[in-house]
Amino acid sequence: MAEVVLKEVVKHYGAHIAVNHVSLTVGDGEFVALVGPSGCGKTTTLNLVAGLIPMSGGEIHIADRLVNDLDPKDRDIAMVFQNYALYPNKSVYKNLAFPLQMRKLAKPDIDAKVKEAARVLDITHLLERRPRELSGGQQQRVALGRALVRDPAVFLMDEPLSNLDAKLRVQMRSELKRFHQDLHTTVIYVTHDQLEAVTMADKMAVMSGGFLQQYDAPDMVFAKPVNTFVAGFIGSPAMSLVPVQVVRKGDAVWLRSVDGWEFELSAENGHKALSATSDKVVLGARHSTLRIHKSAEPGTVPGRVYIVEPTGDVTFAQVKLGASIIIVSLDPHFPIAPDEPVFVEFNQNKLHLFDGETQMALAAA
Ligand SMILES: Nc1ncnc2c1ncn2[C@@H]1O[C@H](COP(=O)(O)OP(=O)(O)OP(=O)(O)O)[C@@H](O)[C@H]1O
Ligand SMILES: [Mg+2]
């Protein structure tokens, strides 16, 4: 078990900066999910921790050791990749035993470690089979087992479930979580599946364009996104974001859209809005915090239903407020049709305000 510390880590590819001054501490035994859109630098960050590619700058410490100049094999890590090539002609047992044989462990020690890993991963009954005689999920567990037998200080996993079908993914997700609960090993887990991150991780590191945008517990990232990028990335469907103008009317503070609709802010939100660097702010609202009315109530803004998307448990309606589209979740029985005029109510306690210039969340004074 070990803490992993990244300090101002940088990776250039020519003029392109794939990882830009990322600082991050993964606590001993913590499960951290690295998330972000394609190309944001997740795999590069993981490869830097593993030592598979040279760094352009910064420091990486694993278990209180500066590992910048250490080979991957000396870093006490095990990696599990998306493509978990198993040895096709070796049995599961031999696949698991191989890394230990390479390290010249005694036969009884190897046997004990293989059996323990097989027990944890529930593949004891598969030890004599070959990889092609296994399902995708079973193969994935063998790949994990191969990392597990090495008993590393840190597990690094790069989208290890992305090859699996939807049902297996969910199953393996639970098993990975269980595995972490049992072993308390430090894990850095790259995924672009938010649900995987939210359900498994103690903390989420959200990256974009090589920068670390936010690093916090999943519920905090969800409840208090630090900027419009995180707000628009986390959550499914993501938070609706609408650029608006802050307008003072006597003591009151209103938000006004270029499309003409406006509504008054609560005192607290008014303070937040006035702390912006200009009169431009971005209004953010999650689908579950919006309400649809069929007639104009005080505080509502007029819109028109654009698309209705039933998903079974919940129906999502995309509503056009002028040029902007916001997403509202509804009871599946709520009567609503495309092109219908509706009135949208923002929950003042749940709305988010971001600075229109810096895109950073505005906090209460
Ligand atoms: N060997 C390389 N040479 C040049 N550029 C690279 C190299 N490897 C990665 N990059 C670039 O660095 C950036 C980050 O890549 P990286 O693979 O870390 O993204 P990622 O977040 O893992 O994306 P994905 O979700 O698609 O796997 C991308 O713009 C990519 O094109
Ligand atoms: Mg990647």
Side-chain angles (χ1 to χ4, degrees):
M1 289 213 272
E3 191 179 68
V4 178
V5 181
L6 282 71
K7 282 187 189 159
E8 298 285 326
V9 169
V10 178
K11 177 64 186 174
H12 298 273
Y13 286 114
H16 179 73
I17 305 183
V19 176
N20 207 334
H21 294 90
V22 167
S23 296
L24 178 81
T25 297
V26 180
D28 186 15
E30 260 180 356
F31 191 124
V32 167
L34 204 52
V35 302
S38 186
C40 72
K42 304 180 295 294
T43 295
T44 306
T45 303
L46 207 68
N47 286 342
L48 290 170
V49 175
L52 297 176
I53 51 173
M55 294 204 279
S56 310
E59 292 180 2
I60 297 178
H61 301 253
I62 299 176
D64 297 325
R65 271 196 312 171
L66 180 66
V67 298
N68 284 31
D69 299 320
L70 285 187
D71 282 345
K73 66 175 171 37
D74 299 324
R75 293 192 179 197
D76 203 7
I77 47 139
M79 284 195 86
V80 184
F81 296 99
Q82 177 178 353
N83 298 313
Y84 41 87
L86 300 171
Y87 303 107
N89 297 321
K90 291 189 201 293
S91 67
V92 168
Y93 186 97
K94 287 188 175 147
N95 264 280
L96 295 180
F98 188 67
L100 302 176
Q101 286 166 351
M102 295 304 286
R103 288 214 230 149
K104 311 227 182 306
L105 258 68
K107 235 178 170 176
D109 293 342
I110 294 178
D111 190 61
K113 278 183 181 281
V114 168
K115 287 189 172 145
E116 172 59 11
R119 187 191 63 76
V120 170
L121 293 165
D122 194 19
I123 51 175
T124 305
H125 59 297
L126 305 173
L127 284 173
E128 296 315 315
R129 294 206 202 163
R130 289 179 200 276
R132 65 171 174 276
E133 297 163 338
L134 304 175
S135 72
Q138 290 167 339
Q139 289 183 33
Q140 187 71 64
R141 272 183 277 171
V142 176
L144 266 174
R146 217 166 40 173
L148 190 58
V149 288
R150 295 179 40 198
D151 198 14
V154 181
F155 278 99
L156 304 175
M157 306 194 190
D158 193 355
E159 313 225 18
L161 308 186
S162 56
N163 280 347
L164 307 180
D165 68 41
K167 197 172 163 208
L168 261 179
R169 281 181 83 121
V170 174
Q171 190 187 329
M172 278 304 294
R173 198 169 79 198
S174 315
E175 291 186 19
L176 267 177
K177 182 160 188 170
R178 183 73 227 183
F179 155 83
H180 181 253
Q181 276 170 9
D182 289 347
L183 298 180
H184 295 291
T185 319
T186 309
V187 179
I188 307 180
Y189 186 97
V190 168
T191 178
H192 53 231
D193 183 330
Q194 282 186 39
L195 204 59
E196 267 178 24
V198 171
T199 51
M200 293 198 290
D202 300 309
K203 281 193 192 147
M204 256 164 112
V206 186
M207 288 185 75
S208 160
F211 289 99
L212 179 64
Q213 302 284 335
Q214 187 163 5
Y215 182 46
D216 214 332
D219 57 336
M220 288 302 293
V221 176
F222 189 81
K224 290 194 167 44
V226 293
N227 57 26
T228 51
F229 171 79
V230 177
F233 185 74
I234 299 299
S236 180
M239 185 185 288
S240 301
L241 296 166
V242 184
V244 287
Q245 191 189 0
V246 183
V247 180
R248 294 196 81 143
K249 297 190 185 184
D251 285 341
V253 182
W254 289 59
L255 292 183
R256 181 185 293 160
S257 143
V258 284
D259 300 304
W261 55 265
E262 57 179 14
F263 69 96
E264 185 179 349
L265 288 174
S266 66
E268 189 186 341
N269 285 326
H271 282 299
K272 278 190 199 174
L274 290 177
S275 72
T277 47
S278 73
D279 65 349
K280 291 185 179 60
V281 298
V282 178
L283 167 65
R286 295 211 183 271
H287 59 80
S288 55
T289 69
L290 293 162
R291 278 189 65 190
I292 295 271
H293 297 268
K294 296 278 184 170
S295 54
E297 311 279 337
T300 61
V301 304
R304 192 171 285 277
V305 179
Y306 185 55
I307 296 172
V308 180
E309 298 171 312
T311 68
D313 285 337
V314 59
T315 292
F316 295 106
Q318 294 187 23
V319 178
K320 273 194 152 178
L321 302 179
S324 307
I325 288 185
I326 56 151
I327 299 179
V328 185
S329 53
L330 300 163
D331 185 282
H333 301 295
F334 189 89
I336 190 162
D339 295 323
E340 188 182 335
V342 289
F343 298 85
V344 176
E345 181 186 348
F346 291 89
N347 181 339
Q348 295 268 346
N349 296 323
K350 297 276 174 69
L351 62 78
H352 296 253
L353 293 169
F354 301 91
D355 192 301
E357 309 287 341
T358 65
Q359 305 295 308
M360 299 303 285
L362 295 168

